[in-house]
Amino acid sequence: MIGNSEKNVINILCFGDSNTYGHIPIDCGRYDKKTRWTGVLANLLGDDYNIIEEGCNGRTTVFDDPDEPWKNGLPYLRPCLNSHKPVHMVIMMLGSNDLKTIFHASAKDIANGVEKLVCEIRDFTDYKQGFIPKIILMSPPVIGDKICESPFNTCFDVTAIERSKELPVWYEKVAEKYGCIFVRTSDYIESSDEDSLHLTGEAHKKLAKVLYKMILDM
């Protein structure tokens, strides 16, 4: 039986890649819960909110990596939503890994993948839990200028920088179409100098504070 206190808690699913997982750019470890944005957000919001961390290194929107096809976000999304229901809000930040050279994806292609995920969230939750959660759609941080000198230079080429700058325009169109709240993360944070891909601890905290204010306003 679920107690009244648990019934009243707002469940927020944070669905993303390594920048939701909390990948540390310097040593490839994981930031502790007090540092990664999901943990900071949980602390700011307090006990009335339950932050569900679903960040996976290398996760794409809808693309199958030949070596790790299980990192495709689409087939994982339904069981994820079902496991954590009722889900009252979804915060989604994906797309960085779609910029890998292996996928040859344009910014519009990646936004099309995001749209499929948004539709999946809406359709599945409407059917399974009887209501559609609020969706906060975040465009990922811009790929840094030194990506070709990064430890990830075998996965990304210089074109990833410009394509990442184009993502917000297309993500905002998806958000407007489906009534999502859009966050252009590049207005607040940037990729680290260390690997041009992942966030510093300070960036995690900044992002959490932006989301905290947004959720309270909602």
Side-chain angles (χ1 to χ4, degrees), residues 48-105:
D48 291 336
Y49 296 82
N50 176 37
I51 298 297
I52 302 162
E53 298 182 288
E54 280 287 356
C56 175
N57 294 337
R59 177 176 285 151
T60 65
T61 57
V62 298
F63 295 102
D64 283 333
D65 187 310
D67 296 322
E68 297 176 307
W70 52 271
K71 289 186 176 181
N72 182 330
L74 185 57
Y76 181 73
L77 188 52
R78 282 196 176 202
C80 179
L81 290 165
N82 195 62
S83 296
H84 297 300
K85 68 178 187 287
V87 176
H88 304 99
M89 183 181 298
V90 177
I91 303 175
M92 184 163 63
M93 182 170 67
L94 282 171
S96 293
N97 292 299
D98 299 44
L99 294 164
K100 290 178 178 178
T101 53
I102 193 171
F103 300 126
H104 307 289

Side-chain angles (χ1 to χ4, degrees), residues 18-39:
S18 52
N19 275 326
T20 298
Y21 171 82
H23 180 100
I24 302 175
I26 296 175
D27 63 9
C28 297
R30 188 186 192 189
Y31 288 118
D32 60 37
K33 196 164 187 175
K34 293 180 180 179
T35 304
R36 56 186 184 262
W37 68 261
T38 46

Side-chain angles (χ1 to χ4, degrees), residues 100-183:
K100 290 178 178 178
T101 53
I102 193 171
F103 300 126
H104 307 289
S106 68
K108 187 176 186 299
D109 293 333
I110 297 169
N112 288 342
V114 166
E115 182 173 6
K116 289 179 181 178
L117 295 177
V118 169
C119 290
E120 190 82 344
I121 292 168
R122 289 171 55 84
D123 294 346
F124 186 72
T125 54
D126 189 30
Y127 167 65
K128 273 295 184 181
Q129 62 183 33
F131 66 92
I132 298 171
K134 297 283 187 181
I135 301 174
I136 298 179
L137 178 59
M138 301 198 291
S139 56
V142 171
I143 300 293
D145 291 339
K146 297 180 180 178
I147 190 65
C148 292
E149 303 168 26
S150 164
F152 297 94
N153 64 1
T154 57
C155 300
F156 299 86
D157 62 20
V158 69
T159 69
I161 301 170
E162 191 59 37
R163 285 182 290 134
S164 71
K165 292 178 182 178
E166 296 170 1
L167 288 178
V169 174
W170 294 102
Y171 277 43
E172 190 167 17
K173 291 179 186 292
V174 174
E176 289 176 353
K177 184 176 180 180
Y178 295 98
C180 307
I181 295 165
F182 173 67
V183 178

